[in-house]
Amino acid sequence: MYLSETSALRLKELGFKRTYYIDEIAPFDFYKVNEEEWVLGGRILPEGDLLAPSDITIKGTWLPSLTDLMTWLADNNYTYTLECKERGHGYVVQALDSEGHTTKGKGGTAELAFCKVIEHILKSTR
């Protein structure tokens, strides 16, 4: 569903940002504040109207969702595969860039596997 705070902070430190709703708050975002996890909710169209208090987005840590991670790869010109291993053995994501280089990430959840791939990509572009 979404990343842990630890994984989200690692990605943020590496410069990860969403590639849609750029520099905006989306009503479907997840945040963690004071050991509480929030989904913002509210109206999306015709104008965004958030239900959660503004402190959530100001003081909280944005927890990227699986969609955020998948979209980031696609918008950065990567194609990818997600492989589910046998039950209890996690997931493997393989991302292929436009030059044919492959990056692999493994994790106990699909979100964590995507996170590992993106971390590796961001570290290699520093």
Side-chain angles (χ1 to χ4, degrees), residues 1-2 18 21 24-33 36-44 48-63 65 68:
M1 199 152 116
Y2 53 88
R18 77 167 93 230
Y21 275 88
E24 293 183 52
I25 299 164
F28 44 78
D29 282 347
F30 300 96
Y31 282 83
K32 183 164 184 180
V33 180
E36 296 176 342
E37 293 181 5
W38 288 75
V39 62
L40 299 183
R43 180 177 59 200
I44 297 172
D49 182 22
L50 301 179
L51 294 175
S54 62
D55 278 2
I56 299 303
T57 60
I58 294 168
K59 296 178 182 176
T61 300
W62 173 51
L63 306 174
S65 69
D68 293 318

Side-chain angles (χ1 to χ4, degrees), residues 81-93 107-108 110:
T81 59
L82 172 64
E83 180 182 356
C84 178
K85 295 291 188 178
E86 292 179 37
R87 185 183 294 199
H89 292 281
Y91 297 84
V92 176
V93 172

Side-chain angles (χ1 to χ4, degrees), residues 88-102:
H89 292 281
Y91 297 84
V92 176
V93 172
Q94 289 191 47
L96 182 69
D97 68 14
S98 57
E99 296 176 8
H101 299 107
T102 301

Side-chain angles (χ1 to χ4, degrees), residues 3-12 32 61 63 115 119:
L3 286 177
S4 69
E5 183 178 28
T6 304
S7 295
L9 289 172
R10 278 197 321 262
L11 284 182
K12 182 179 180 181
K32 183 164 184 180
T61 300
L63 306 174
C115 178
E119 278 183 43

